[in-house]
Amino acid sequence: MARKMNQHIHFLTLIIAIVIGFVLTRSATGQYLIGVGSYDMTGPAAGVNMMGYANLEQNTAGIHFRLRARTFIVAESPQGARFAFVNLDAGMASQLVTIKVIEKLKSRFGNLYTEENVAISGIHTHAGPGGYLQYLIYSITSLGFVQQSFDAIVNAIEQSIVQAHNNIKPGSILINKGDVENAGINRSPSAYLLNPAEERARYPTNVDKEMTLLKFVDEASRKSVGAFSWYATHGTSMSRDNKLISGDNKGAASRFFEDWFTSKNRTSSTTISKSSATTDIGKLIKKAQRIKATGGTSCGRKTSQGFKVRKNDGSLFVGAFCQSNVGDVTPNVLGAFCIDSGKPCDFNHSSCHGNDLLCIGRGPGYPDEILSTKIIGERQFQKAVDLFTSATEKLSGKIDYRHVYINFTNIEVELDGNNKVRTCPAALGPGFAAGTTDGPGVFGFQQGDTEINELWKKLRDVLKKPSQYQEDCQKPKAVLLSSGEMFEPYAWAPAVLPIQILRLGKLIILSVPGEFTTMAGRRLREAVKETLIANGNGEFDHETRIVLAGLTNTYSQYIATFEEYKHQRYEAASTLYGPHTLSAYIQEFGKLAKSMAKGEQIPKGPSPPDLYSVQLSLLLEPFGDSPPPGKKFGDIKKDINQPKSRGSFTKGDKASATFWSANPRYDLLTEGTFAVVEMLKGKRWIPVYDDDDFSLFFKWKLDNTSLHSLATIEWEVPKEARPGVYRLRHFGSSKKTKDTPNEYYTGASSAFTVS
């Protein structure tokens, strides 16, 4: 009996050894378990203040294209180490969002996905709905917490992770890198020049041009399932006056990349000769003239999902463009100019005759911000395609992660020579109020200000007079708002921050909860690499890749270098925890890197607060809509603007129609669409563009005379549009009162032709 037991034990030991060997071999040869997912997180498209510019008048009024949460999951084996990385088409991550997402994942998966191995990173678009962060200073312009914004983001993150988890399969990950040209310049070059000359001499430019891309390949089919890239440029191609929800240039790059990969090519393979073109188009025009607007009709809650061009069944290719050390990088690459004179702005302060409001950056499509967004998106997309198609280097090796919470308001930092300094409670300086060349702030302030006039001091002191300790600690920053000392009605600024390192073989991802400037990011990356090499027993070397994932897991504004901090431009004035903030990050990330290199664990640290129960919301909910007497929702108010001279639309023309509608906040139509372009094929209308497309715009407003809601659909005919008969369709949802059930409707315009 004992002999048989020993035989069984030896057999089981052999099986375990084989399995372990198989897992290790797979990891060593570049095969992991991989999964990707994507989900709609567009949020409320009417009357909600946008997060980014802090402009009280910038409230959502439609959709440029939809926002998404995109996720990749990598694992060594079904039971082995894994992590999930989520890229959000949002301004930034939110501590409260992270807390609630982790709670939902725990209830669904147990301890498989936790705060330790989940990273949630924002692309930094300034054109998404706000009101989803828990600290008061970030929700003032949104009139407090916006439950609908918050729920849309939390749900999308959860669903994208679930989708990626369900898609997990054996696969390989290839890595490639290359420079993106002319997609970002430094918006605070005078501050960058304060960094040591010998340090600056090591880099060819004052911004990081490098894009790092991961390509995920299904082992069984040998087909690619996704790509995630990191590159630094601000999401400010869309201006502070824009009111359409948009993923800005990185969201645009994702849309272009995903459409390119899935070959959603709508160009016609049929050519029309000159002799027959007029006759054929003439027939199309006559056919279109017979097709009138449908009028509003009832439909189901999910009807619009059936009209989506890209139906999310979990099989779509996922292409994500992630943010990096973006702090001082603008996509407005033509430079900043005075709007009164057309001359370049003051170099040191980015103002015009002392007025910060007159200095505005120009994108490559100036004065067309949509065109600028497209161009900067295309430049990132084109480089990603180049890296994607030429990628050959496989990642292999260990998957690992480290995560810790740190109270950043009082960290003792040891500088060179045993000189010890401390970080400070959060505070903002007057340069913060000046804004940037991407979005100027308040009149009377300039970037670089280190003094505050007496009037502003008195107004500041009404809110909270900074302590003497705070004023001394933050120097040379003058404290305009001591947000770290303000706790009524709840905390104004974060104190406890998460930092995180994710390892995928020789790729290291640094999850940082803010916007590092170019040089600050370089210093952090180099310090972490040196620590890994020094403590890794040969496991890490100079070929180890370090990428910085900005605006991840929570948000704490900017991180400038010590030298840049002295200048107190916008980035330095927004560096919350004082002049030694970057040194604190380098020190604490060093501890994380050392623990990872040595295979040691590190204490979790103090948990951040969950302020969900104390959030205030002053934004009114829509209280019920009705169309004008004799009209139905979905009826046409203004039909297609038929071309007068040609009788047919051509490339670059804009077709539009306006419908009687209801507030789009009644139902976000998640994974659906408010707007569709349909093409007549035989006797059937086929959806060919929707509100996920760059060429289609859904615009909402209240009619000034009747106070009824209007939805305008505009379609800028793209070059790949096929000749044929088209029409515009609108979907929406209404309520008679805020307590009655939703009623869903649709309506279509008259037909028109494209030649």
Side-chain angles (χ1 to χ4, degrees):
M1 184 70 176
R3 185 178 177 184
K4 286 187 176 181
M5 283 293 292
N6 286 334
Q7 288 176 336
H8 285 306
I9 291 170
H10 286 311
F11 179 72
L12 288 172
T13 303
L14 179 62
I15 292 299
I16 291 170
I18 291 171
V19 171
I20 292 173
F22 174 68
V23 170
L24 292 176
T25 301
R26 272 188 17 183
S27 173
T29 57
Q31 189 182 76
Y32 298 98
L33 296 179
I34 61 171
V36 297
S38 174
Y39 204 79
D40 184 357
M41 51 165 277
T42 302
V48 174
N49 192 254
M50 289 181 166
M51 182 64 208
Y53 288 116
N55 177 11
L56 279 165
E57 298 179 358
Q58 191 189 18
N59 298 319
T60 58
I63 296 173
H64 178 203
F65 57 93
R66 286 189 169 254
L67 310 180
R68 303 196 73 79
R70 296 174 172 90
T71 295
F72 77 81
I73 295 174
V74 291
E76 290 180 347
S77 67
Q79 285 74 43
R82 69 174 59 203
F83 68 79
F85 187 94
V86 186
N87 187 58
L88 293 182
D89 284 348
M92 62 283 293
S94 154
Q95 185 65 70
L96 191 56
V97 165
T98 300
I99 289 170
K100 297 308 176 186
V101 165
I102 297 303
E103 287 178 1
K104 287 179 175 290
L105 294 176
K106 184 175 179 63
S107 66
R108 187 185 286 267
F109 298 110
N111 291 323
L112 192 60
Y113 302 104
T114 69
E115 61 197 4
E116 299 273 332
N117 67 343
V118 174
I120 302 171
S121 180
I123 63 169
H124 209 35
T125 175
H126 285 41
Y132 63 92
L133 291 92
Q134 73 169 352
Y135 297 104
L136 187 61
I137 198 167
Y138 307 127
S139 59
I140 291 172
T141 57
S142 62
L143 303 181
F145 187 71
V146 180
Q147 189 72 52
Q148 203 171 33
S149 290
F150 180 82
D151 288 345
I153 295 173
V154 169
N155 179 62
I157 296 170
E158 180 190 13
Q159 294 304 321
S160 71
I161 291 175
V162 169
Q163 196 177 87
H165 175 87
N166 291 338
N167 284 339
I168 281 181
K169 62 193 73 174
S172 299
I173 305 170
L174 284 71
I175 188 169
N176 205 356
K177 64 178 181 178
D179 286 351
V180 182
E181 295 298 335
N182 204 24
I185 62 171
N186 198 303
R187 71 184 184 190
S188 290
S190 60
Y192 180 88
L193 286 173
L194 294 179
N195 293 305
E198 61 272 19
E199 182 180 35
R200 289 185 281 111
R202 292 164 49 203
Y203 303 99
T205 59
N206 61 4
V207 294
D208 285 339
K209 292 186 176 183
E210 187 172 271
M211 172 183 283
T212 299
L213 178 137
L214 298 182
K215 177 178 180 178
F216 298 88
V217 181
D218 178 1
E219 193 70 18
S221 66
R222 304 291 181 181
K223 292 181 179 178
S224 299
V225 296
F228 280 63
S229 61
W230 289 264
Y231 167 74
T233 194
H234 249 84
T236 49
S237 293
M238 302 290 282
S239 75
R240 70 194 301 270
D241 299 318
N242 161 65
K243 296 184 179 181
L244 298 180
I245 290 175
S246 171
D248 210 278
N249 55 69
K250 285 192 177 290
S254 290
R255 171 53 51 238
F256 301 153
F257 196 179
E258 290 172 350
D259 286 352
W260 165 80
F261 182 85
T262 53
S263 299
K264 287 191 177 297
N265 192 327
R266 301 184 180 92
T267 57
S268 176
S269 59
T270 304
T271 57
I272 303 175
S273 65
K274 284 187 177 181
S275 59
S276 63
T278 304
T279 305
D280 291 344
I281 292 300
K283 289 180 180 178
L284 292 177
I285 291 173
K286 289 181 180 179
K287 181 185 287 187
Q289 289 173 342
R290 294 194 295 268
I291 303 172
K292 304 303 180 184
T294 63
T297 58
S298 297
C299 64
R301 183 172 67 88
K302 294 187 176 182
T303 302
S304 76
Q305 293 182 10
F307 283 75
K308 286 287 288 184
V309 176
R310 307 162 187 81
K311 294 179 175 61
N312 186 12
D313 59 2
S315 65
L316 293 177
F317 177 88
V318 177
F321 288 74
C322 311
Q323 197 54 270
S324 191
N325 50 320
V326 67
D328 53 0
V329 188
T330 174
N332 295 312
V333 294
L334 298 186
F337 297 86
C338 298
I339 58 176
D340 58 343
S341 67
K343 295 180 179 179
C345 305
D346 173 83
F347 182 73
N348 287 314
H349 303 285
S350 292
S351 63
C352 303
H353 338 295
N355 187 344
D356 61 302
L357 301 183
L358 298 178
C359 178
I360 306 292
R362 295 179 180 177
Y366 175 82
D368 185 341
E369 64 185 340
I370 300 293
L371 180 57
S372 291
T373 302
K374 182 180 182 182
I375 292 171
I376 298 297
E378 284 179 336
R379 288 173 183 171
Q380 293 174 78
F381 151 65
Q382 288 163 357
K383 174 51 63 173
V385 168
D386 176 40
L387 297 176
F388 183 84
T389 54
S390 63
T392 57
E393 179 186 349
K394 275 189 180 182
L395 283 175
S396 63
K398 191 176 182 181
I399 290 175
D400 202 359
Y401 49 84
R402 293 292 185 277
H403 176 284
V404 67
Y405 287 116
I406 302 166
N407 188 329
F408 259 76
T409 65
N410 191 26
I411 300 174
E412 184 178 83
V413 183
E414 187 171 329
L415 303 178
D416 294 338
N418 294 321
N419 182 24
K420 293 182 179 179
V421 294
R422 287 191 177 274
T423 55
C424 320
L428 296 164
F432 162 77
T436 71
T437 56
D438 294 335
V442 180
F443 177 75
F445 292 94
Q446 287 193 90
Q447 295 189 64
D449 282 350
T450 54
E451 299 291 336
I452 306 171
N453 70 42
E454 290 303 314
L455 174 61
W456 283 108
K457 281 185 179 179
K458 289 177 181 178
L459 292 172
R460 172 200 69 184
D461 292 349
V462 170
L463 289 172
K464 173 66 181 180
K465 184 176 182 179
S467 66
Q468 189 61 50
Y469 171 82
Q470 174 77 307
E471 291 192 311
D472 292 340
C473 187
Q474 292 279 350
K475 286 180 179 177
K477 180 197 293 176
V479 179
L480 177 66
L481 195 64
S482 188
S483 53
E485 296 183 314
M486 301 169 72
F487 301 98
E488 296 296 334
Y490 47 89
W492 282 55
V496 176
L497 301 180
I499 63 172
Q500 181 185 50
I501 299 181
L502 306 173
R503 178 186 177 187
L504 179 54
K506 285 196 173 184
L507 173 68
I508 302 296
I509 301 171
L510 307 180
S511 299
V512 298
E515 303 175 58
F516 278 61
T517 63
T518 298
M519 193 63 84
R522 288 168 176 170
R523 289 184 190 176
L524 179 62
R525 291 196 305 259
E526 290 181 3
V528 167
K529 180 181 281 192
E530 289 173 5
T531 301
L532 291 171
I533 293 172
N535 295 275
N537 294 320
E539 202 172 348
F540 301 96
D541 55 31
H542 290 288
E543 296 302 313
T544 299
R545 308 277 181 84
I546 312 284
V547 298
L548 191 150
L551 308 116
T552 301
N553 294 331
T554 193
Y555 184 61
S556 59
Q557 294 180 249
Y558 284 75
I559 301 91
T561 68
F562 180 78
E563 295 83 0
E564 292 164 350
Y565 190 88
K566 294 177 183 177
H567 196 1
Q568 281 300 296
R569 285 184 63 107
Y570 178 84
E571 295 80 17
S574 306
T575 296
L576 295 183
Y577 307 106
H580 305 293
T581 299
L582 174 59
S583 296
Y585 271 101
I586 291 173
Q587 173 180 284
E588 299 305 316
F589 264 104
K591 295 175 183 177
L592 272 191
K594 186 175 181 179
S595 73
M596 176 175 280
K598 288 182 172 293
E600 300 170 348
Q601 295 303 311
I602 194 166
K604 174 184 174 182
S607 294
D610 179 345
L611 301 178
Y612 185 75
S613 63
V614 297
Q615 293 297 307
L616 300 176
S617 180
L618 303 178
L619 182 70
L620 296 176
E621 296 292 325
F623 44 79
D625 269 332
S626 60
K631 300 292 183 181
K632 296 178 292 183
F633 287 124
D635 280 356
I636 285 285
K637 181 179 188 294
K638 185 179 180 181
D639 210 347
I640 290 294
N641 55 321
Q642 298 284 359
K644 294 179 181 178
S645 58
R646 298 183 303 273
S648 180
F649 290 94
T650 60
K651 179 185 73 174
D653 289 342
K654 187 173 285 185
S656 68
T658 300
F659 300 80
W660 293 109
S661 186
N663 194 310
R665 286 170 63 194
Y666 292 124
D667 192 310
L668 306 181
L669 300 187
T670 300
E671 291 293 359
T673 181
F674 288 102
V676 173
V677 178
E678 296 178 299
M679 183 179 184
L680 187 62
K681 294 186 178 180
K683 296 183 178 181
R684 295 179 58 219
W685 288 100
I686 307 297
V688 287
Y689 299 91
D690 60 33
D691 67 11
D692 243 345
D693 276 284
F694 207 84
S695 63
L696 188 63
F697 301 84
F698 165 68
K699 298 181 178 181
W700 174 88
K701 70 173 185 178
L702 285 176
D703 180 47
N704 291 332
T705 56
S706 67
L707 296 182
H708 293 286
S709 293
L710 295 173
T712 297
I713 298 175
E714 295 178 356
W715 181 44
E716 190 172 293
V717 181
K719 62 182 180 181
E720 68 270 16
R722 298 179 182 180
V725 176
Y726 292 83
R727 68 181 181 183
L728 306 181
R729 177 176 290 278
H730 170 49
F731 289 93
S733 171
S734 68
K735 282 176 174 281
K736 289 187 172 66
T737 70
K738 69 183 184 69
D739 298 319
T740 55
N742 285 44
E743 298 177 3
Y744 294 84
Y745 59 87
T746 185
S749 71
S750 296
F752 59 94
T753 58
V754 169
S755 60

